[in-house]
Amino acid sequence: MLTLKGHKHPIQSVAFAPDGTALLTVDGGSGIRVWDLPSGKLRWEASEYYFSSAAFTPDSKFVITADRAGNRPVDLGARKRLPFEMQYPVRLHDSVTGVVAPGPFQYPTGEGLYELTFTPDGTRCVARPGFDTKDLVWWEYPSGSPLPPWKNVVGHDYWKFRAMAIAPDGRTLAGVNTEGLSIFDMPDGELRLRHAFKVVQGEARFAYHPDGRQIVFASGTRGAMFDLEKRSEIVEIKQAKKHFLALAFTMDGRHLATVSNEETVKFWDPSTGQLATEYAWEVGGLRCLAFAPDGTTAATGGTGKKIVVWDLDA
């Protein structure tokens, strides 16, 4: 087990590199760090920009970041801000050194970008722009060439997607917002289905099952497995008090892992909704989790500003 320290704010997200050699962590102050695995040594960190989204590229060569609304000064000491024409860029950081590469990705100023997500085959990526548009924007990778955007995909919800993901087979894209779950066919963006469910305090989480035929979503203390072919909920998952804050399937799909601002990671049987086991870590309330591509390692973090990386076989 590794315990990684150094963030100055609670941990908001963790993600393994596709090749499994590094871990990306993002805190609530938008500072990012990349850690070497399995050594746990810090490769590099960045906090000079207000990162709204960060992810490994599919080839593990870069960490791609997008900035939020330009309200973070570049030079915190001098309180200098980026010129307007340089705000909201998409950057490619070398995953080993952190050096910013000449980025091919172009995006006009005026809006931040959120939820940068790559297709499973690594040839395209998508992001949602700003707070007041219902579109999704697309690029090719690695060329960075823009692709036709999806227009007005969010429906009537002003606050847009709370979360977004692409199915493991690359055939659908799903988003969750205050209206519920929306599923779109790829690559054209045609709406396949919508499923309404109660969203508590404007927050919802979801994840595709590895087989791509089911989705789990959760808001407040209630979660549910949803079958895409049957178009219905098939299993309910409930907690007594704590709200679900993050969830992810193990790589074999046998368990669903969740965190809820407690010091434990809970593993559920997705076929029954019953709690199977728990991992307890004394690092404060947990807010995020992820599994390594080979399925043998997991990572979590939260209010304690620490990250725990552990072997699932241990």
Side-chain angles (χ1 to χ4, degrees):
M1 185 187 81
L2 294 174
T3 302
L4 309 177
K5 307 175 183 178
H7 278 280
K8 299 179 181 179
H9 302 276
I11 311 303
Q12 297 291 88
S13 68
V14 291
F16 286 89
D19 64 6
T21 64
L23 183 73
L24 169 67
T25 58
V26 182
D27 67 34
S30 291
I32 64 174
R33 290 184 169 223
V34 174
W35 311 82
D36 186 73
L37 295 177
S39 70
K41 293 182 179 179
L42 179 65
R43 288 186 180 180
W44 56 273
E45 61 181 308
S47 59
E48 65 270 28
Y49 303 106
Y50 202 34
F51 299 110
S52 59
S53 189
F56 281 106
T57 55
D59 52 19
S60 299
K61 293 181 179 179
F62 301 100
V63 171
I64 186 171
T65 62
D67 288 358
R68 178 189 305 176
N71 59 358
R72 180 70 173 266
V74 178
D75 186 335
L76 296 180
R79 309 302 294 178
K80 294 180 180 178
R81 297 179 182 273
L82 281 169
F84 181 79
E85 65 272 10
M86 293 178 63
Q87 293 177 11
Y88 324 113
V90 178
R91 295 182 180 86
L92 291 174
H93 309 250
D94 185 285
S95 63
V96 176
T97 66
V99 174
V100 177
F105 288 81
Q106 300 296 319
Y107 186 73
T109 60
E111 295 177 327
L113 287 171
Y114 301 81
E115 300 285 341
L116 277 165
T117 304
F118 283 88
T119 55
D121 63 7
T123 61
R124 289 168 292 157
C125 68
V126 62
R128 59 179 182 90
F131 287 109
D132 57 357
T133 166
K134 299 174 181 178
D135 304 339
L136 296 179
V137 292
W138 290 84
W139 297 268
E140 289 183 340
Y141 183 79
S143 72
S145 300
L147 295 168
W150 289 6
K151 293 288 187 179
N152 297 315
V153 297
V154 182
H156 301 291
D157 178 40
Y158 177 80
W159 291 107
K160 305 184 57 176
F161 289 150
R162 290 298 194 275
M164 182 170 63
I166 297 174
D169 61 9
R171 298 176 62 183
T172 60
L173 179 148
V176 169
N177 62 8
T178 56
E179 295 177 328
L181 175 71
S182 298
I183 305 293
F184 302 90
D185 288 325
M186 292 184 59
D188 55 8
E190 181 178 352
L191 179 66
R192 176 179 293 193
L193 66 90
R194 280 203 172 106
H195 175 70
F197 64 90
K198 183 179 179 181
V199 176
V200 179
Q201 298 179 355
E203 294 294 332
R205 309 289 188 269
F206 86 111
Y208 273 100
H209 189 277
D211 67 12
R213 296 193 295 268
Q214 297 176 350
I215 286 179
V216 63
F217 53 78
S219 184
T221 60
R222 179 183 182 272
M225 292 292 298
F226 183 85
D227 189 288
L228 293 176
E229 294 181 357
K230 297 179 180 178
R231 299 192 172 204
S232 63
E233 297 180 19
I234 56 175
V235 175
E236 185 178 61
I237 299 170
K238 294 195 70 174
Q239 299 189 133
K241 296 181 179 180
K242 291 291 186 177
H243 289 198
F244 290 105
L245 295 183
L247 38 80
F249 285 101
T250 54
M251 296 297 103
D252 59 10
R254 294 177 57 192
H255 291 98
L256 171 71
T258 67
V259 294
S260 304
N261 204 27
E262 300 172 296
E263 293 189 343
T264 58
V265 181
K266 296 181 179 180
F267 279 59
W268 309 78
D269 183 337
S271 65
T272 64
Q274 299 300 306
L275 183 65
T277 189
E278 299 180 57
Y279 292 89
W281 309 117
E282 297 179 357
V283 293
L286 302 176
R287 295 182 174 179
C288 55
L289 75 154
F291 292 102
D294 65 4
T296 64
T297 308
T300 187
T303 59
K305 307 173 187 177
K306 301 175 182 177
I307 303 100
V308 175
V309 183
W310 79 99
D311 188 341
L312 291 174
D313 294 330

